[in-house]
Amino acid sequence: MRFKSVVAACGLLLAGIPAASAQGDYLEWAGANGLMGPLAEPDADLDTDGITNLMAYAFDLAPANDPDAWEKLPSLAFLGDPPEPVMTFVLPREIPRDVSYVVELVREDGKRVEIARKNGRGPWKGTGEIFRRKLDDGCTEITVETPLDMPIPEGDRPLRLRVEFLP
């Protein structure tokens, strides 16, 4: 299954489920997609493909069996000589106000260093090199490279994308 290789490469991580008052837009999305009760929980995965409701919401995917998921979710590549990690993903036309997209570098000691963050519809911030490319469908392809002054750890998963609710 392709998603397992994406998870292995990117180390997707779901973080913190907020109080209901902080989930306004998410709850609207869940209702519009017919999700109720436990199936509406941000960490629920209706079709057991590894894409939680929160990830589907953050990337404007259907909560089950979305054929476009693999083109929008993060992928990791190693480019250059020596090879350096590069993460690429596609943000929806309408970026949710109530989520943050956080790219982290995973050091050899296992500690994570945040290199890029986008809170809701605000600008990208961080020390990583962030490139944006507008796509024909109105979505935006994001590419994040590690900062030049940071050592790149050995291993096949040096970058992670974490999606979390904004406080």
Side-chain angles (χ1 to χ4, degrees):
M1 179 184 276
R2 184 166 174 215
F3 183 71
K4 289 185 180 182
S5 67
V6 171
V7 171
C10 299
L12 291 175
L13 180 66
L14 170 66
I17 299 171
S21 62
Q23 301 180 22
D25 290 346
Y26 173 81
L27 292 177
E28 289 174 21
W29 174 86
N33 282 282
L35 303 175
M36 295 180 277
L39 297 178
E41 291 294 321
D43 60 349
D45 180 4
L46 298 176
D47 55 4
T48 65
D49 63 356
I51 303 171
T52 64
N53 286 343
L54 180 58
M55 291 299 289
Y57 169 65
F59 288 96
D60 193 28
L61 305 171
N65 302 317
D66 191 313
D68 296 326
W70 310 118
E71 286 76 40
K72 294 180 179 180
L73 289 174
S75 64
L76 183 67
F78 291 86
L79 304 176
D81 187 21
E84 303 222 1
V86 176
M87 180 175 282
T88 302
F89 50 93
V90 177
L91 292 181
R93 276 175 280 207
E94 189 74 22
I95 296 171
R97 287 182 273 244
D98 54 353
V99 296
S100 291
Y101 302 85
V102 182
V103 178
E104 300 169 322
L105 175 70
V106 181
R107 298 186 331 192
E108 288 184 13
D109 63 4
K111 292 184 180 176
R112 298 183 196 131
V113 177
E114 185 176 301
I115 62 170
R117 173 183 284 270
K118 180 173 184 53
N119 291 331
R121 296 181 183 158
W124 281 96
K125 296 180 180 181
T127 58
E129 295 290 326
I130 303 160
F131 302 94
R132 298 161 200 82
R133 182 173 68 97
K134 200 67 152 174
L135 303 176
D136 291 339
D137 63 1
C139 295
T140 305
E141 181 182 77
I142 302 296
T143 301
V144 180
E145 297 178 1
T146 57
L148 295 174
D149 61 344
M150 285 189 144
I152 306 302
E154 296 292 323
D156 60 346
R157 295 180 282 172
L159 296 177
R160 296 173 65 113
L161 174 69
R162 180 168 39 99
V163 175
E164 61 188 15
F165 278 109
L166 287 173

